[in-house]
């Protein structure tokens, strides 16, 4: 039973993050919204570990690290895994969520706090992307992909 649950969580994690990525690519093709640059995320992680600080890295001016794109993608899927684990804990332990599209949407909308208030500032884009050329678009783009991600988690947990 525990192994089945672990395999299910891993499967839901991979599939829900893949759905997020597909949505982001479609949004880029249809609406011109730039997808996340996972190389810069990998560069941020390496710089954060080496310099022992999370913020204020001149990421655009820094030379590329070897394998930073792979590192960024791995971090992306690892973070997705932790989101799914949190969803399962909120569902199975606390009964706060259930595996439905509606609860998934609520979870996705609430989960946007992490990129708005941690990852965007850590990447140098400011809180809620205020240092980007189009802060409103950046905020809405992150909200959209996290909403899709949350719905995917809710539906996949129901299905798997």
């Amino acid at each position: 039973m525990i192994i089945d649950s672990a395999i299910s969580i891993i499967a839901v994690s991979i599939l829900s993050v893949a759905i997020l990525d597909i949505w982001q690519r479609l949004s880029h093709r249809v609406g011109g919204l730039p997808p996340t640059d996972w190389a810069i995320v990998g560069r941020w992680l390496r710089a954060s570990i080496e310099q022992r600080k999370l913020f204020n890295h001149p990421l655009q001016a820094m030379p590329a690290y070897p394998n930073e794109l792979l590192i960024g993608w791995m971090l992306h899927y690892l973070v997705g895994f932790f989101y799914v684990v949190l969803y399962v804990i909120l569902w199975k332990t606390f009964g706060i969520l259930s595996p439905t599209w509606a609860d998934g949407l609520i979870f996705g909308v609430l989960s946007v706090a992490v990129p708005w208030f941690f990852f965007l500032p850590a990447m140098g884009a400011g809180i809620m992307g205020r240092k980007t050329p189009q802060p409103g678009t950046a905020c809405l783009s992150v909200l959209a992909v996290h909403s899709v991600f949350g719905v995917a988690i809710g539906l996949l947990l129901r299905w798997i």
Side-chain angles (χ1 to χ4, degrees), residues 15-88:
L15 291 171
S16 59
V17 174
I19 289 168
L20 177 155
D21 292 332
I22 291 167
W23 177 266
Q24 199 174 55
R25 297 295 171 182
L26 288 172
S27 297
H28 174 64
R29 289 206 188 262
V30 173
L33 297 172
T36 303
D37 178 1
W38 297 113
I40 209 79
V41 173
R43 187 177 309 164
W44 166 80
L45 181 60
R46 288 277 311 262
S48 295
I49 291 168
E50 289 179 6
Q51 298 174 19
R52 294 190 170 117
K53 66 179 187 172
L54 295 174
F55 298 95
N56 300 321
H57 300 287
L59 296 171
Q60 302 300 334
M62 293 172 67
Y65 286 106
N67 301 314
E68 67 182 21
L69 179 59
L70 176 63
I71 292 166
W73 276 103
M74 289 172 62
L75 179 61
H76 173 49
Y77 275 78
L78 182 63
V79 169
F81 170 79
F82 285 113
Y83 274 119
V84 173
V85 168
L86 177 60
Y87 194 109
V88 170

Side-chain angles (χ1 to χ4, degrees), residues 60-132:
Q60 302 300 334
M62 293 172 67
Y65 286 106
N67 301 314
E68 67 182 21
L69 179 59
L70 176 63
I71 292 166
W73 276 103
M74 289 172 62
L75 179 61
H76 173 49
Y77 275 78
L78 182 63
V79 169
F81 170 79
F82 285 113
Y83 274 119
V84 173
V85 168
L86 177 60
Y87 194 109
V88 170
I89 290 169
L90 292 172
W91 166 32
K92 299 255 183 180
T93 305
F94 297 105
I96 295 171
L97 297 174
S98 58
T100 64
W101 73 267
D103 281 359
L105 179 60
I106 291 166
F107 182 80
V109 167
L110 293 175
S111 75
V112 82
V114 175
W116 279 355
F117 299 108
F118 177 76
F119 276 114
L120 285 171
M123 299 293 140
I127 292 173
M128 297 180 77
R130 69 178 172 79
K131 293 182 180 178
T132 64

Side-chain angles (χ1 to χ4, degrees), residues 144-159:
V145 297
H146 271 254
S147 297
V148 168
F149 176 59
V151 169
I153 293 170
L155 292 176
L156 288 166
L157 285 172
R158 180 179 203 86
W159 181 62

